[in-house]
Amino acid sequence: MKIAIMGAMLEEVEPFLEAGEHEPLLKYFNKHSDVVYGGNLYHEAKYKNLDIVLGYSKIGKVNAALTAATMIEKFGAEKLLFTGVAGAVNPELKIGDLIAATQLCQHDLDITAFGHPHGYVPEGSVYVEPSRELLHIAKAVADEKDIELKGGIVATGDQFIADPERKEWIEKTFDADAIEMEGAAVAVICDAFDVPFFVLRAISDAADMDATFDFDEFLKHSSQVSSSFVLAMLDKMADGTQ
Ligand code: SAH
């Protein structure tokens, strides 16, 4: 089974790779090979009985789509787990909290001039849903480890949201719980290739006036929270296939 682990920024996948503040999560990785493709660096490795391809796309929907497609088409990923940070829309989500996307949409995709709803993906739908099986694995991990994992709607767009008005519009229009810049692009690609996927985000900011400050402050910590959870999912997936 080949699993893709994807982030948008180096910081989001770094916990798997490097000894920084923490030990690298994948310290039991068999020595990996590094491949540069389409301007991105991909690490191939073995973790327990799983084959892994790991990398970050750089920020935004176009970059995310390129990386998700590359992980599937070039590296043969059969499942994709996205790990990273997001801005909170739902006030119940605090910095460091985890949210697993149950639906994803593109808040900046707008062909409403032709009568379509906001976020409508041509020949598709507004929302794309991740794999139920991967959501079940996530829930099992959260239950076992007594970690609070919320589920909710993740809205994606090519904008860093640090504006209460835009945030409120996204909340009202899409019933969104969190905002980020890659998830729905990954969802559309995985859906097109019929590859089960899962998007996990730890909150880094509240998409408000303080968002840039909070983001810089909490990026590393929240990335670590999300990566650790994904590693626990890998453990469960490895056990399940042994
Ligand atoms: N500091 C970076 C830019 C970060 S953009 C630079 O200078 O290049 C924010 C990243 O974190 C994106 O990958 C996005 O997915 C996520 N994110 C976190 N909070 C967000 C918010 N409030 N709005 C949009 N994306 C957010």
Side-chain angles (χ1 to χ4, degrees):
M1 172 69 62
K2 189 146 190 179
I3 317 268
I5 304 174
M6 175 177 167
M9 289 170 284
L10 175 60
E11 288 86 347
E12 289 172 326
V13 294
E14 217 167 22
F16 288 102
L17 296 169
E18 275 182 21
E21 241 175 275
H22 306 271
E23 273 194 285
L25 292 175
L26 290 183
K27 59 189 167 197
Y28 304 117
F29 252 27
N30 283 350
K31 187 64 196 143
H32 44 269
S33 59
D34 294 346
V35 180
V36 175
Y37 190 80
N40 288 101
L41 178 62
Y42 296 90
H43 308 273
E44 286 189 284
K46 186 108 186 151
Y47 179 65
K48 299 188 173 172
N49 59 348
L50 303 173
D51 291 311
I52 306 282
V53 55
L54 181 143
Y56 72 97
S57 58
K58 297 178 284 214
I59 293 162
K61 293 196 296 182
V62 173
N63 284 329
L66 172 64
T67 291
T70 299
M71 285 172 148
I72 294 166
E73 283 293 283
K74 179 171 170 59
F75 291 95
E78 299 165 83
K79 290 185 181 170
L80 188 151
L81 309 179
F82 189 101
T83 174
V85 301
V89 177
N90 183 334
E92 282 177 23
L93 285 169
K94 305 293 179 210
I95 288 172
D97 285 358
L98 282 169
I99 174 167
T102 53
Q103 297 186 95
L104 299 105
C105 61
Q106 297 178 56
H107 66 74
D108 59 351
L109 182 47
D110 183 347
I111 47 171
T112 55
F114 297 93
H116 298 290
H118 280 285
Y120 176 70
V121 180
E123 297 186 31
S125 54
V126 174
Y127 297 97
V128 180
E129 292 188 4
S131 152
R132 273 167 202 270
E133 189 208 333
L134 291 172
L135 281 169
H136 279 137
I137 292 172
K139 173 136 188 11
V141 166
D143 288 349
E144 270 168 34
K145 296 191 174 284
D146 205 16
I147 295 170
E148 195 175 343
L149 175 68
K150 293 194 171 74
I153 296 176
V154 169
T156 302
D158 281 327
Q159 298 162 350
F160 182 81
I161 307 294
D163 167 14
E165 265 179 42
R166 178 74 188 161
K167 171 177 158 173
E168 199 186 321
W169 182 84
I170 293 169
E171 204 260 315
K172 285 216 169 90
T173 310
F174 299 100
D175 203 16
D177 295 290
I179 322 179
E180 38 83 304
M181 302 177 67
E182 298 83 17
V186 171
V188 168
I189 296 294
C190 290
D191 195 47
F193 288 115
D194 217 7
V195 167
F197 72 95
F198 172 78
V199 175
L200 183 72
R201 296 280 184 169
I203 299 302
S204 54
D205 58 85
D208 56 10
M209 297 303 203
D210 297 327
T212 45
F213 174 81
D214 287 343
F215 177 87
D216 285 341
E217 176 92 10
F218 297 108
L219 170 61
K220 281 207 169 175
H221 175 72
S222 293
S223 294
Q224 181 75 34
V225 169
S226 182
S227 299
S228 300
F229 193 91
V230 163
L231 181 66
M233 286 180 70
L234 288 183
D235 285 331
K236 195 149 209 61
M237 290 161 83
D239 291 347
T241 56
Q242 259 160 9

